[in-house]
Amino acid sequence: MSGPPRSGRTALALLLAGRLRPDSGTVLRNGRRAPAELRETVAVVDAPGVTEPEGSVQLRDVVAEGLGIAGRRFGGRAVRDWLAERGLRQQAGLRFERITPHCRTRLLLDLAREARGVEALVLDCPDRHGGEAVRWYSAAQEAASQGYAVVALCSPHTATELNHLPARIGTDNDEPASPPRTEPSADSAPPADSGSF
């Protein structure tokens, strides 16, 4: 989904995860209203001022916090092993803001998937960090290929760069009208079972 800055992207992320109540309308999970289930099964990833890690914190601390929130072991050894599995053990002491944008997004998606019961990931404006959109988008696609529902909120410019026509925040996203029907010629007979509805 796309929307310009101040269009409510983070608010939408929180609505989708059952963390905010909509003024109107309803967010459904499997066809029914279940805010508690949304909170348990939808992870909001990298939301500015909400779930975004502090940039000055070391990578090892971001991972420890993420693993702890996910209910996993988060001691020094667990963090070192987690980073080693991703080829990042040497970067453990780097400030999180020094991690490349696509790597940062991939790490946060991986940490969100550590939580048991998470089925959906709402990625909040990863394009704000810069870098090539296609690189963080491939991380989102990878998560989707593993069975997660993934919503990526970004700017209209990024959506165009990715060659997508996403739903737009604050607009009517109904499908375009179907092409006009052609009237049958005078020679053609109507179908046998035609009728009005």
Side-chain angles (χ1 to χ4, degrees):
M1 299 184 84
S2 73
R6 300 178 163 274
S7 62
R9 294 178 295 195
T10 297
L12 177 59
L14 296 172
L15 281 167
L16 293 174
R19 289 165 172 80
L20 281 181
R21 184 177 300 168
D23 290 336
S24 62
T26 308
V27 179
L28 302 177
R29 181 178 183 274
N30 296 328
R32 62 189 182 85
R33 190 176 179 282
E37 288 181 20
L38 285 172
R39 288 190 292 275
E40 292 170 9
T41 59
V42 180
V44 177
V45 181
D46 201 21
V50 183
T51 60
E52 172 186 34
E54 177 63 44
S56 62
V57 173
Q58 292 182 336
L59 175 58
R60 67 168 61 95
D61 296 326
V62 170
V63 171
E65 181 180 19
L67 291 174
I69 289 170
R72 304 289 185 172
R73 292 176 185 253
F74 59 94
R77 183 176 196 164
V79 169
R80 286 191 298 274
D81 290 348
W82 196 90
L83 287 168
E85 288 170 13
R86 289 153 182 81
L88 293 169
R89 193 166 176 177
Q90 300 302 317
Q91 286 84 5
L94 280 180
R95 289 164 58 114
F96 195 62
E97 63 195 4
R98 302 268 322 270
I99 305 297
T100 59
H102 69 276
C103 185
R104 177 186 328 195
T105 299
R106 183 174 296 278
L107 285 166
L108 294 176
L109 284 168
D110 284 355
L111 283 169
R113 291 186 302 192
E114 290 287 347
R116 293 175 181 86
V118 166
E119 300 171 353
L121 306 162
V122 181
L123 185 53
D124 191 359
C125 311
D127 50 341
R128 74 186 187 278
H129 300 301
E132 295 176 75
V134 70
R135 299 191 75 182
W136 64 255
Y137 188 70
S138 69
Q141 285 181 307
E142 180 186 310
S145 73
Q146 294 176 3
Y148 292 89
V150 180
V151 175
L153 303 172
C154 64
S155 72
H157 173 77
T158 300
T160 301
E161 183 183 330
L162 291 168
N163 200 24
H164 284 284
L165 294 173
R168 293 168 311 239
I169 299 169
T171 61
D172 183 353
N173 289 290
D174 288 340
E175 299 224 1
S178 29
R181 293 183 185 180
T182 56
E183 292 297 319
S185 68
D187 314 333
S188 63
D193 61 347
S194 67
S196 60
F197 294 91

